[in-house]
Amino acid sequence: MSASPPSWNAMSEDDQKALLDWFQTYIQDCPFSNRVMLVATQILCVLPGTAVASSDAGASSSASASSAAAGASSSTAAEADPTLPEGAKAEIRAESFLALQGIISAEETDARDALIDALAERVEEVEDRLDVVLEPGTAIPVQDASVTILTSTSATTGTELPLREVAAREGHVSLITFATALSPIALGTVHGLVQFVAKAAAEWDGKVDVVCVWLDDQFKPAELAEQIESNGWAIDGLTHVWAGPDGPQSDLAEAFAVTRMPLCFLTDTQGRLAWQGVSGALDFGVEIAALLDGSEALLETWKTQFHAFSVAAIEDAADCGCCGDEEAAAPKTESAPACDAPKWMDAAPTEDVRVAKLCDMFKAASAAELAFDSFISQVATLVSADGVTHDARVSVAGEFPSSAKAELDSAMAAMTDIAGCRIDTAQITMFATAAPLDVAAACSACAKPSAVEGSDEPAFTCVHCAGSSEPITLCAKCYWTTAPHDPSHTFVATLRGRTQLHSMRHGNGTLLPENPADTDDVVEGMHVTVQCDGCAVNPLALVRYKCAHCEDYDLCADCHASWAASADGVISTDDGFTYAHAPEHAFLAYRADQPSSA
């Protein structure tokens, strides 16, 4: 039995260089030679909050990071640095990895597999990040594949038909969207598609086939059809079909190379693929009208983009990554000269220098009493058939109130001086300062207790009215009565003696008013693009409970009631699994029976 190949981190510099040289030679003979590259990336990260890292002992810090780099996602910490502000702590993490990046056609997957096998003989754990697309201008695949009609104006629900009878018909333009009921993003795309078809179909004279292919293996066709009907998505001009019980592993999904959803395909009147991508990346109304007129502009543009894809395109996109400056990263023209800012590779050419600079940036932030989430160095070597290039950037991440802008600007200036180049600030977000929430003991409507400690009935405090002359807190009974207060306002539901307001997303017991229309679509009292994270039901009827602490967690009314009734936050124990959520969290309550007035 042959020995296992070494990991990238275990290789010597000479062996790493030999591997990159081998790849550059091998890729020359591949059909996707100008569209695929091997990327070796090293990430160093200083994370505030745990052990202390010393930048004064630069060599020891670097040694710690180097030892951490021996295994992906490993971490280490150095001894306390007495020059750090009292109580300031941080952890150094290092990670290195190899990845294949680029774009290939579905017809090139055999060559891709051969490349991956050849790499696997030489090095462990190469990530496959290649995007697989259909060859521009080809006919849609597996037109004889059987699909089940869910809703259609021209076929009976439950009928099995070949795909060619509902899509890419002769003389028709087709828009095919792959979706799943388990993805809120896909549900939102379908909802937008419904609205688009409802407005545009009358202009098409029946010459456009719009088909939504559902790749769900956890639902029966009748269940999907019922959901589509209840969401108001069964409309003229839009056909919903089911790909079969294999869902994402169905022949149809594999033939279209569907690896993520939603994914859209547009064909011209000759049945040729003119474009594929995500909804929102294309003006379907304009492009469909052009295709109906016989235009080949979209197809030619997509062909050019596909065949011209190269490492240079990725390098251009990454250029000035250290700047974090839209003007500096803009396309270079005579009126917009190339950015002359020093690059991170020039400012910090070695690992020990990068570690030292990150730690000093952390010190500067700590001295300014600003709590950043992380300080990150990323250095990449990109190998393609055209040669070897390098990219590097330094970035910081964090979330700060708008009231701290002056302090943040000052700290960024100090950290930029330390880094020796501009810093990518794309991961810094600012939020407006909100009024503190005061959960009154008495209901504003009936004067009875708003909530009782130990009860599973929450108090509802209006976020929109917090800090006003008339703050509102309602008991559960009054909240469900529309008369006492505008139900379109956002409320936060809290359980007395259990909910911790201080750890909400904006912290310190404050929360900004949120407009439900910004985060989901409401149709006839239903939140149609939101899925319950407790039971997976969609749509959510009347009220949507969105966790005020987590970035993306929603519950339906039934699951929220089960969660509130459990001291441990248990929602259910179906199928031997326990579904639970942190019992101390608060939930925003969005009503769907009236439009938002936010």
Side-chain angles (χ1 to χ4, degrees):
M1 180 180 296
S2 59
S4 299
S7 67
W8 173 253
N9 295 316
M11 286 183 170
S12 66
E13 288 188 13
D14 288 342
D15 288 342
Q16 289 180 344
K17 183 179 184 304
L19 176 66
L20 300 183
D21 289 343
W22 167 85
F23 177 84
Q24 187 178 358
T25 300
Y26 184 98
I27 199 71
Q28 303 279 351
D29 297 326
C30 294
F32 41 68
S33 60
N34 69 318
R35 290 179 272 111
V36 170
M37 61 183 172
L38 184 65
V39 182
T41 303
Q42 183 203 54
I43 296 177
L44 297 172
C45 185
V46 171
L47 299 173
T50 52
V52 178
S54 169
S55 65
D56 291 339
S60 64
S61 294
S62 177
S64 297
S66 298
S67 64
S73 300
S74 59
S75 62
T76 187
E79 294 299 321
D81 180 352
T83 66
L84 287 174
E86 184 178 356
K89 296 181 179 181
E91 177 186 16
I92 298 174
R93 289 189 181 180
E95 179 179 356
S96 297
F97 55 87
L98 281 176
L100 283 171
Q101 292 185 208
I103 184 172
I104 67 170
S105 72
E107 291 77 15
E108 295 169 339
T109 53
D110 288 344
R112 174 206 58 188
D113 293 343
L115 170 59
I116 291 175
D117 289 343
L119 276 169
E121 294 175 358
R122 293 165 172 80
V123 62
E124 282 186 341
E125 298 180 358
V126 178
E127 295 183 35
D128 179 4
R129 297 182 181 176
L130 297 174
D131 286 328
V132 182
V133 302
L134 300 185
E135 185 80 24
T138 58
I140 66 169
V142 291
Q143 296 187 40
D144 291 328
S146 178
V147 294
T148 301
I149 300 295
L150 298 176
T151 66
S152 173
T153 55
S154 59
T156 304
T157 297
T159 304
E160 291 190 9
L161 296 173
L163 181 64
R164 56 182 162 77
E165 292 195 20
V166 294
R169 294 182 291 175
E170 185 177 355
H172 287 214
V173 170
S174 289
L175 174 57
I176 305 170
T177 299
F178 287 85
T180 171
L182 297 178
S183 166
I185 296 176
L187 294 173
T189 294
V190 174
H191 186 65
L193 186 64
V194 170
Q195 294 177 320
F196 165 65
V197 172
K199 294 178 181 178
E203 303 174 2
W204 296 336
D205 195 26
K207 293 294 185 180
V208 179
D209 299 325
V210 184
V211 180
C212 183
V213 182
W214 294 88
L215 297 179
D216 288 280
D217 53 7
Q218 299 186 26
F219 300 101
K220 296 178 180 178
E223 295 172 327
L224 287 170
E226 182 180 356
Q227 178 173 326
I228 292 167
E229 291 280 357
S230 66
N231 287 355
W233 295 345
I235 64 170
D236 291 344
L238 175 58
T239 299
H240 294 269
V241 301
W242 182 53
D246 293 331
Q249 282 72 49
S250 65
D251 292 341
L252 195 60
E254 292 184 0
F256 276 85
V258 178
T259 57
R260 60 180 180 269
M261 290 175 279
L263 186 61
C264 303
F265 297 83
L266 197 58
T267 70
D268 63 14
T269 54
Q270 300 178 50
R272 300 176 300 178
L273 282 162
W275 176 85
Q276 77 174 71
V278 295
S279 176
L282 201 67
D283 187 330
F284 287 143
V286 171
E287 298 300 344
I288 287 175
L291 290 172
L292 287 172
D293 288 339
S295 171
E296 296 192 358
L298 179 62
L299 173 57
E300 292 305 317
T301 299
W302 190 41
K303 280 183 178 180
T304 300
Q305 291 174 343
F306 175 80
H307 292 294
F309 182 92
S310 64
V311 175
I314 294 182
E315 290 173 351
D316 288 344
D319 197 27
C320 290
C322 65
C323 297
D325 187 316
E326 291 183 1
E327 292 183 1
K332 300 173 180 57
T333 65
E334 290 184 2
S335 60
C339 172
D340 60 358
K343 304 298 183 184
W344 181 235
M345 282 284 287
D346 298 329
T350 63
E351 182 181 321
D352 60 336
V353 174
R354 291 192 283 272
V355 171
K357 284 181 176 288
L358 291 178
C359 289
D360 287 341
M361 288 165 58
F362 163 64
K363 285 185 184 181
S366 298
E369 298 184 348
L370 290 173
F372 283 82
D373 294 332
S374 57
F375 306 81
I376 304 168
S377 163
Q378 180 173 321
V379 177
T381 300
L382 298 78
V383 184
S384 70
D386 297 328
V388 179
T389 56
H390 302 278
D391 178 41
R393 65 191 63 199
V394 58
S395 61
V396 291
E399 187 177 34
F400 303 95
S402 56
S403 57
K405 186 178 186 306
E407 293 85 348
L408 179 63
D409 289 345
S410 177
M412 287 302 306
M415 289 191 292
T416 299
D417 288 341
I418 293 169
C421 68
R422 296 186 187 180
I423 299 172
D424 185 346
T425 58
Q427 297 182 70
I428 288 183
T429 57
M430 306 290 291
F431 60 87
T433 304
L437 287 173
D438 181 15
V439 182
C443 174
S444 302
C446 67
K448 295 180 180 179
S450 59
V452 177
E453 187 165 348
S455 170
D456 59 0
E457 290 195 348
F460 291 84
T461 302
C462 182
V463 178
H464 288 78
C465 298
S468 70
S469 59
E470 296 183 4
I472 299 293
T473 296
L474 301 176
C475 65
K477 180 179 179 180
C478 289
Y479 174 74
W480 290 108
T481 303
T482 59
H485 194 65
D486 186 346
S488 67
H489 279 193
T490 301
F491 285 76
V492 60
T494 58
L495 296 168
R496 189 170 301 282
R498 171 169 151 177
T499 301
Q500 296 181 4
L501 292 178
H502 70 272
S503 60
M504 292 191 297
R505 277 178 58 75
H506 289 159
N508 300 320
T510 66
L511 202 67
L512 288 176
E514 296 192 26
N515 186 346
D518 292 340
T519 52
D520 69 302
D521 290 300
V522 173
V523 176
E524 297 181 354
M526 309 287 280
H527 300 271
V528 298
T529 56
V530 181
Q531 184 177 48
C532 177
D533 288 297
C535 66
V537 69
N538 165 268
L540 270 59
L542 188 57
V543 67
R544 166 193 180 188
Y545 288 97
K546 177 178 174 61
C547 184
H549 303 252
C550 302
E551 183 174 356
D552 184 15
Y553 189 87
D554 296 273
L555 292 178
C556 65
D558 288 342
C559 284
H560 183 268
S562 298
W563 169 85
S566 168
D568 297 323
V570 174
I571 299 169
S572 68
T573 54
D574 294 340
D575 303 323
F577 293 95
T578 298
Y579 297 90
H581 194 66
E584 70 276 9
H585 282 189
F587 279 83
L588 296 173
Y590 295 153
R591 292 281 288 271
D593 51 352
Q594 290 193 23
S596 172
S597 62

